[in-house]
Structures are given as C-alpha cells and as structure tokens.
Amino acid sequence: PSTLFVRSQGKGQKQLGAPGPSYALPAGTLREGSHELWFGSASEQSRKTTVVVQFDNAAPTASISSPAERGFAPGAAVTAAGTARPGWTGTVAGHELVQDAQQRFSGEVTTPAGATALAIRFAHPQRGVHYYLRRPSH
C-alpha cells in the first residue's frame, strides 16, 4: 500500500491512504494556494509535484455546449463543442479541438471507460492551463 502526502502552503502535511499508484482527491481537498504532492511507502518515495489552485475571476476561457453534465456514459462517443476565447487552444482525450473563425470548436471523442470525468483542457501561452470537467452519468 502507498500513502499520498499533501503539504499545503509549505506547512502542515496530510497523509491519505492510497490503494495503489493513483488517488482521486475528493472535491475541496485542495483549497486555493500551492500544494506539494508525492507518494510514499515504507521503502520508496515518488518525485514531488507542485499543484497551484488559483481563483480566476476574469472572463471564462471557454463555454462548453456539449457534452452536457451527466449527459453521457463512460466509454461513449461524445461531441465536445463550444467556444473558446482568442489565443486559447483546446484538447480533449488527446485530440485537438480545432476552432473556426468565430472561435467555435467541435470534435468527436470517446470518453475513457473508467473515467469519473471528461477533462477538456485549454492552454494559453501567457494565462496558463484551464480545465473544464464534465461528469458522466452513472
């Protein structure tokens, strides 16, 4: 068994039991700020990763019109569609979301069979990376 270690804001440390080399953090576990995460066992420790959670009150990066929240089954083919602000590039499940002249995008993807969410990733050279999540029906 592994343990996920979480150090928030450079102080305090949480230890979360992990059944294997991955762990899904419940919503709200990481508050706004900087967090350092790593896995460890009695004899080994993984490389540390820094996660920064920031509230961005600027205009939204994108608007997602499809798929609807809880509107698809895990493993199903879905259309990822919507609009993104100029300068942002989008990908979903490793596929680029090509935008037209009006910044609209649409692409067919197959959702991962065991996934608890479909992550639509938007990147901008100056503003960083934003993720939009859509959860499947269960």
Side-chain angles (χ1 to χ4, degrees), residues 5 7 34-39 46-52:
F5 294 91
R7 181 178 297 130
S34 180
H35 310 275
E36 191 173 44
L37 290 83
W38 69 96
F39 283 97
S46 72
R47 198 176 61 198
K48 294 180 179 180
T49 298
T50 300
V51 174
V52 178

Side-chain angles (χ1 to χ4, degrees), residues 110-122:
T110 300
T111 61
T116 57
L118 178 67
I120 304 171
R121 180 185 189 271
F122 292 94

Side-chain angles (χ1 to χ4, degrees), residues 5 12 18 37 53 68 76-77 81-82 92 102:
F5 294 91
L37 290 83
V53 177
V92 61
Q102 288 76 38

Side-chain angles (χ1 to χ4, degrees), residues 83-104:
T83 59
R85 295 189 48 87
W88 290 87
T89 57
T91 57
V92 61
H95 300 284
E96 182 180 357
L97 296 170
V98 179
Q99 297 173 10
D100 65 15
Q102 288 76 38
Q103 304 306 121
R104 294 179 297 225

Side-chain angles (χ1 to χ4, degrees), residues 2-133:
S2 297
T3 300
L4 174 63
F5 294 91
V6 179
R7 181 178 297 130
S8 298
Q9 309 300 338
K11 59 186 176 206
Q13 185 172 297
K14 292 181 189 177
Q15 295 183 23
L16 306 168
S22 67
Y23 187 86
L25 291 168
T29 300
L30 299 181
R31 302 256 184 243
E32 190 171 3
S34 180
H35 310 275
E36 191 173 44
L37 290 83
W38 69 96
F39 283 97
S41 66
S43 61
E44 296 182 277
Q45 179 176 309
S46 72
R47 198 176 61 198
K48 294 180 179 180
T49 298
T50 300
V51 174
V52 178
V53 177
Q54 293 178 317
F55 175 71
D56 184 356
N57 65 351
T61 300
S63 174
I64 310 299
S65 59
S66 175
E69 179 71 5
R70 306 243 188 240
F72 60 96
V78 298
T79 299
T83 59
R85 295 189 48 87
W88 290 87
T89 57
T91 57
V92 61
H95 300 284
E96 182 180 357
L97 296 170
V98 179
Q99 297 173 10
D100 65 15
Q102 288 76 38
Q103 304 306 121
R104 294 179 297 225
F105 61 85
S106 180
E108 293 291 320
V109 297
T110 300
T111 61
T116 57
L118 178 67
I120 304 171
R121 180 185 189 271
F122 292 94
H124 188 280
Q126 284 83 38
R127 299 197 52 100
V129 176
H130 293 194
Y131 285 92
Y132 286 69
L133 302 177

